[in-house]
Amino acid sequence: MKRHNRRSVFYGSLTGAAVAAMAAGGCGAGGGSATGPAATSSQPAHSTAPSPTAWQKWGLTPLPAPPKPPADKPLKLSATGTVPVFEHLPTSQKVVFITVDDGAEKDPKFIEMMRDLKTPITMFLMNDTIKSDYGYFKPLQAMGNHIQNHTLHHPAMNTLPLARQKEEVCGDQKILTQQYGTAPLLFRPPYGAYNSDTKTAVGECGPRAVVRWREAMQITTMRYQETDKKLRPGDIVLAHFRGPKELKGTTMTEMFGNLLKHIQKQGFTVARLEDYIQPPTG
């Protein structure tokens, strides 16, 4: 499996030639050719806040505790019909949502960091990168972090016919459900690229929304869609399971610490994406 470098530039409706030209692009993208919503299955959030000592251990100052999620969820998913696409959730709370993609890097220190800081994340896992160690992600899941669908092999979905798109989504859906005991309700398209066939494939394979992002974490910097380079309440932030080989010597925990510093500097805290989404009922 060849690893991808990611960029936070939205590739929109990629042609085959464009995909070849952006071979170094990987997962990253922000903005979209469609807009809309996305989803989950509930798991308990942590009730015990991390101590200041836990933050100091990682060279960080404490983030504010996340506010109580709204009882009336800003995004409500339907069990039928066309799946929505979203990269932001409407809320007045100063929260952002961290999503972590792929699964190539399996650093035990990152699990330790998450246990210490109790920062909620949503994992979009791709089978090619996780199959060497499915078990690595189970402690993260046990902390209340949801596992969502990111295809089997990381193709640019809008370059594939519907049948191949269904193989990618349904295949990952089946494996993730078997390995982690819960069927993903959200799907993230590699590179942020999708089309109407993608939404059809996603709906037929089980997830009920397509999730994109507005910001993407690099090593020490964030890439923004908006020209003012500011976070906004309800933004979805993209990061990746990456290690020193992909991060020019920086570790996964260092990159994640840099991300938290960016969030804190702008006066935000981190909430759990799934706590702001109403899964389908009935």
Side-chain angles (χ1 to χ4, degrees):
M1 169 65 192
K2 184 178 180 179
R3 290 187 179 178
H4 301 273
N5 295 320
R6 315 294 197 242
R7 293 179 185 169
S8 63
V9 178
F10 174 53
Y11 294 103
S13 55
L14 297 169
T15 63
V19 172
M22 62 143 207
C27 229
S33 58
T35 56
T40 170
S41 58
S42 295
Q43 295 179 10
H46 292 282
S47 57
T48 304
S51 69
T53 302
W55 290 93
Q56 291 167 9
K57 173 181 173 180
W58 299 99
L60 301 167
T61 55
L63 283 174
K68 184 177 180 180
D72 184 16
K73 307 303 181 188
L75 178 62
K76 299 174 178 63
L77 296 179
S78 171
T80 59
T82 303
V83 298
V85 182
F86 73 99
E87 58 200 26
H88 162 90
L89 290 180
T91 179
S92 60
Q93 297 176 342
K94 290 205 73 174
V95 299
V96 295
F97 309 105
I98 295 177
T99 59
V100 190
D101 279 15
D102 297 346
E105 179 68 13
K106 302 171 183 67
D107 184 353
K109 283 287 186 180
F110 182 67
I111 295 177
E112 181 182 345
M113 186 183 205
M114 293 297 95
R115 284 199 179 111
D116 287 345
L117 303 185
K118 301 178 173 62
T119 304
I121 61 173
T122 296
M123 297 173 279
F124 288 88
L125 300 182
M126 187 256 292
N127 188 61
D128 266 359
T129 55
I130 68 171
K131 63 186 180 183
S132 63
D133 186 2
Y134 291 118
Y136 172 83
F137 303 94
K138 292 182 179 180
L140 294 169
Q141 182 189 33
M143 297 174 205
N145 300 307
H146 294 249
I147 290 173
Q148 309 290 5
N149 191 318
H150 193 43
T151 74
L152 287 172
H153 308 108
H154 208 274
M157 295 291 280
N158 61 353
T159 67
L160 302 179
L162 175 60
R164 279 284 294 111
Q165 294 200 42
K166 287 181 66 175
E167 288 176 7
E168 289 290 335
V169 183
C170 290
D172 204 44
Q173 188 80 356
K174 180 179 179 180
I175 291 170
L176 294 179
T177 302
Q178 289 174 340
Q179 290 294 327
Y180 301 107
T182 302
L185 281 174
L186 303 177
F187 171 77
R188 169 160 285 158
Y191 315 102
Y194 68 95
N195 57 19
S196 59
D197 282 347
T198 310
K199 294 197 285 183
T200 298
V202 171
E204 293 183 6
C205 291
R208 292 309 308 158
V210 174
V211 185
R212 302 189 70 256
W213 58 92
R214 282 195 170 175
E215 294 82 25
M217 186 63 195
Q218 307 300 298
I219 299 173
T220 60
T221 61
M222 286 243 284
R223 301 282 295 275
Y224 296 83
Q225 284 187 46
E226 302 296 336
T227 56
D228 62 4
K229 297 185 178 181
K230 291 182 179 179
L231 295 169
R232 287 166 169 76
D235 277 2
I236 295 170
V237 181
L238 169 68
H240 293 88
F241 285 96
R242 292 178 180 166
K245 288 184 180 179
E246 299 86 2
L247 299 177
K248 299 180 180 179
T250 301
T251 64
M252 175 86 182
T253 55
E254 289 169 335
M255 179 275 294
F256 198 83
N258 292 335
L259 170 56
L260 295 180
K261 289 175 184 177
H262 279 282
I263 292 169
Q264 183 181 55
K265 185 177 180 180
Q266 296 190 46
F268 285 81
T269 193
V270 181
R272 192 179 308 283
L273 176 63
E274 289 81 1
D275 288 346
Y276 288 69
I277 298 171
Q278 180 63 56
T281 57

